[in-house]
Amino acid sequence: MTATATRTGMFNKDHPRYKWVALSNTTLGMLMATINGSIVLISLPAIFKGIKLDPLQPGNVSYLLWMLMGYILVTAVLVVSFGRLGDIYGRVRIYNLGFVIFTVAAIALVFDPFTSGAGAMWLIGWRVLQAVGGSMIFANSTAILTDAFPANKRGMAIGINQIAAIAGTFLGLIIGGVLAEIDWRAIFLVSVPFGILGTIWSYKSLHEVGVKSPGRVDWPGNIVFAVGLTALLAEITYGIQPYGSSSTGWLNPWVLAGIIGGVALLIGFVFLQLHTAEPMFNMRLFRIQAFARGNFAGLLASVGRGGLQFMLIIWLQGIWLPLHGFSYESTPLWAGIYLLPLTIGFLVSGPISGTLSDRFGARLFATGGLVLVAATFIALLLIPVDFSYPVFALITFLNGVGSGMFAAPNRTAIMNSVPANQRGAASGMTGTFQNAGNSLSIGIFFSLMIAGLADTLPNALRSGLTSHGVGTAVANQVAATPPVGSLFAAFLGYNPIESILGPTGALKNLSTTNAAALTGKTFFPELISQPFHSGLVIVFIAAAIMSLIGAVASLSAGGKYVHADTAPVGTIEPGRQNVSELSDL
């Protein structure tokens, strides 16, 4: 009796249902890693208020960008490297170490001893280290599950894991909004108990069951990939900042040099990998149709999903909630609550589509999901900026359903298609596409939104200010301000009018009525509503096109199959020796 009880304990490595223990632990890990990727997006106002820093001051915009992007960028860069290290040294070993690093960083974040710029640098630095731990978890959790579950059950298992990964990005918005109301330190404190539990649990219960790929670490490949992708993603992010007389920074020589240099290094990385005996990543995996097209579709879906999150946060925090009487201080909480339908739709459809894909294959679900996502982007354009919430809730719910239909089957098809000894690197590369998509979405969609605002916001600002008594010269000066400041203000749920007019002294010369109107809840939201919608048209049409291209890629990815390891990985021939076709859907 005692032996049986010990054997079936949650913290025992010889558990007879080990695969379920692995699924539970890795799902917790993925939730933690991805929740922390988005939790600050909606709680930035509380964080900056807590460390006494105005993020909209010109010298502080870099703090804002790195608080937004640091975690996402690091995970995008490192997941492939840690996936390959998992193949070499053991996926469980790297995964467990990731839990330790993640938890230590979470504890340090809570105890930020500084304020202002030093406080921001403390948070950014520890968020970067936390992202290192998150990368280790993210890179190896799917590979651990692929090792633990038989092929005919992987869709369900990877589906749950992948749903946790993407649902975490949605849940982070809700959790961040709630915790921001309590205390800004609680935003980081929430990870600590789960990190400690997950660390102890993983070290006590997980063990290696997969195939290792012994070899040397490809340091040149790792370095070239990390530097190239970092340069590319970082400079795309900086491209949204004004440069000279331009409303964006795409013509900034440093931005251009970073993007061109980053692309050149990534091309060099491909060449290195094809001519290295023991590469960091086997580029020949892209010969596998399901792997190549599944990752391409995943990248486009991730870009669209990231763009949707940012635009909806701006829409709710900066416009809709203030128009409906909510104070700017409370908008992060209520934005998270009003985005619940998006999360619910994803959580409902993800596990179901993942399970059904085990039987019917990924193509139907992945393709149909992205088509539905594209339709919801168009639907969001057809509702007014001051929308009826039930209509908005239905559209965002369907968007979540479509994302769930795509995510789990697509990830399962990718992982089923690769050799066992390459699963860590393959999982890492898939994670890179997903996280890079989130990072790219900021640069792409903010730039598209700024392009839309640049044509309409100046006139709206000029006429709105002069109608409330602001002199023509001051109104023209304010109207010439790059729209990125107003966009960031809407994203953070701030009313920027006071900070814009404050240095000019114009507010002091206005009547009490006009000054109160300009700095009240409704002036800025009403002012930006029409220009915002002009930008929204550009953004969501682009997102819909990306989703449809991703749907075509999913449709052409091939039928349901599982890789059979009958030949060396270097001689992968999809559809022939290495691939066992189960059905042709």
Side-chain angles (χ1 to χ4, degrees):
M1 294 290 290
T2 304
T4 302
T6 302
R7 177 178 169 78
T8 58
M10 184 177 72
F11 294 110
N12 285 278
K13 295 186 178 182
D14 61 345
H15 197 290
R17 295 182 178 177
Y18 172 76
K19 60 180 179 288
W20 301 110
V21 174
L23 176 59
S24 303
N25 188 276
T26 56
T27 298
L28 173 64
M30 289 292 268
L31 270 172
M32 283 178 42
T34 55
I35 283 174
N36 277 272
S38 63
I39 196 169
V40 301
L41 296 182
I42 210 163
S43 51
L44 281 172
I47 293 172
F48 283 119
K49 184 178 179 181
I51 61 173
K52 300 178 174 60
L53 181 73
D54 181 0
L56 296 181
Q57 292 294 321
N60 295 336
V61 173
S62 289
Y63 294 132
L64 171 61
L65 287 177
W66 279 101
M67 282 294 293
L68 276 173
M69 294 299 304
Y71 187 95
I72 299 172
L73 190 149
V74 171
T75 52
V77 168
L78 293 181
V79 285
V80 177
S81 297
F82 287 132
R84 179 58 184 148
L85 288 176
D87 287 335
I88 296 173
Y89 298 111
R91 290 147 198 163
V92 169
R93 178 181 295 180
I94 302 299
Y95 174 88
N96 290 347
L97 180 60
F99 249 122
V100 174
I101 295 173
F102 184 95
T103 306
V104 169
I107 295 170
L109 284 163
V110 176
F111 297 103
D112 186 349
F114 305 111
T115 58
S116 194
M121 288 303 298
W122 175 279
L123 295 178
I124 291 167
W126 283 104
R127 284 275 292 172
V128 166
L129 184 63
Q130 190 179 44
V132 173
S135 300
M136 293 177 169
I137 294 170
F138 201 97
N140 288 283
S141 62
T142 307
I144 289 171
L145 287 182
T146 308
D147 291 336
F149 278 82
N152 65 340
K153 297 293 183 182
R154 283 178 193 153
M156 176 274 299
I158 295 177
I160 292 173
N161 190 259
Q162 183 67 3
I163 294 313
I166 298 178
T169 65
F170 298 138
L171 291 170
L173 302 179
I174 300 168
I175 296 169
V178 172
L179 295 179
E181 286 287 292
I182 301 171
D183 187 89
W184 72 270
R185 295 181 190 273
I187 295 160
F188 305 112
L189 179 63
V190 69
S191 297
V192 174
F194 294 104
I196 293 172
L197 170 65
T199 299
I200 297 171
W201 185 9
S202 64
Y203 270 97
K204 288 283 189 180
S205 63
L206 298 183
H207 60 273
E208 304 289 351
V209 296
V211 178
K212 291 184 182 180
S213 178
R216 294 176 298 177
V217 177
D218 175 20
W219 289 113
N222 278 272
I223 293 170
V224 170
F225 181 78
V227 174
L229 190 58
T230 299
L232 177 63
L233 296 180
E235 295 310 322
I236 285 176
T237 302
Y238 278 108
I240 65 179
Q241 291 195 63
Y243 176 71
S245 60
S246 176
S247 58
T248 59
W250 294 109
L251 297 180
N252 184 329
W254 287 105
V255 170
L256 290 173
I259 292 174
I260 294 170
V263 170
L265 284 172
L266 291 177
I267 293 172
F269 168 76
V270 174
F271 178 83
L272 273 176
Q273 298 304 282
L274 290 173
H275 296 83
T276 300
E278 297 180 11
M280 164 189 166
F281 182 80
N282 189 345
M283 300 303 296
R284 293 174 180 83
L285 290 177
F286 283 105
R287 292 180 180 176
I288 300 173
Q289 190 167 281
F291 182 82
R293 298 186 185 183
N295 275 306
F296 178 63
L299 173 65
L300 294 176
S302 182
V303 172
R305 188 168 54 248
L308 177 74
Q309 287 183 354
F310 294 123
M311 293 306 111
L312 293 187
I313 290 172
I314 293 170
W315 199 342
L316 289 171
Q317 290 191 182
I319 301 174
W320 193 85
L321 287 168
L323 286 177
H324 287 256
F326 292 86
S327 67
Y328 282 102
E329 292 77 16
S330 68
T331 55
L333 168 64
W334 287 102
I337 292 172
Y338 278 106
L339 285 174
L340 270 172
L342 180 68
T343 306
I344 292 170
F346 190 85
L347 293 175
V348 166
S349 69
I352 296 173
S353 61
T355 301
L356 292 176
S357 71
D358 282 331
R359 181 176 179 184
F360 299 108
R363 178 157 41 182
L364 174 65
F365 299 98
T367 303
L370 287 184
V371 170
L372 178 58
V373 167
T376 60
F377 281 128
I378 300 302
L380 286 169
L381 292 178
L382 300 178
I383 63 175
V385 174
D386 190 10
F387 50 77
S388 167
Y389 181 70
V391 176
F392 177 84
L394 176 61
I395 295 172
T396 54
F397 172 79
L398 291 175
N399 184 281
V401 169
S403 292
M405 287 175 62
F406 167 79
N410 184 66
R411 187 64 171 261
T412 304
I414 290 170
M415 294 305 296
N416 276 339
S417 71
V418 300
N421 67 347
Q422 295 289 304
R423 285 172 183 161
S427 175
M429 182 60 77
T430 302
T432 289
F433 279 111
Q434 181 174 315
N435 291 318
N438 288 334
S439 182
L440 287 169
S441 65
I442 292 182
I444 293 171
F445 288 112
F446 266 68
S447 294
L448 290 174
M449 176 59 74
I450 290 167
L453 289 176
D455 292 333
T456 53
L457 184 60
N459 288 333
L461 267 173
R462 187 179 297 107
S463 60
L465 293 174
T466 54
S467 68
H468 285 80
V470 177
T472 303
V474 173
N476 287 334
Q477 177 187 337
V478 171
T481 304
V484 67
S486 298
L487 190 61
F488 275 141
F491 178 72
L492 294 169
Y494 286 2
N495 184 341
I497 298 299
E498 186 171 358
S499 61
I500 292 174
L501 288 179
T504 69
L507 283 174
K508 297 176 181 178
N509 300 322
L510 298 177
S511 67
T512 304
T513 302
N514 278 332
L518 287 174
T519 57
K521 293 179 183 178
T522 59
F523 175 77
F524 179 69
E526 289 175 349
L527 180 80
I528 201 175
S529 290
Q530 192 54 48
F532 175 77
H533 191 267
S534 299
L536 208 62
V537 170
I538 299 173
V539 167
F540 281 163
I541 286 177
I545 291 171
M546 289 182 189
S547 297
L548 290 175
I549 294 172
V552 172
S554 294
L555 185 64
S556 62
K560 177 185 172 185
Y561 60 87
V562 177
H563 193 284
D565 292 302
T566 58
V569 69
T571 59
I572 292 172
E573 297 181 65
R576 297 178 63 186
Q577 301 176 352
N578 292 67
V579 178
S580 173
E581 297 284 347
L582 300 182
S583 65
D584 186 15
L585 301 179

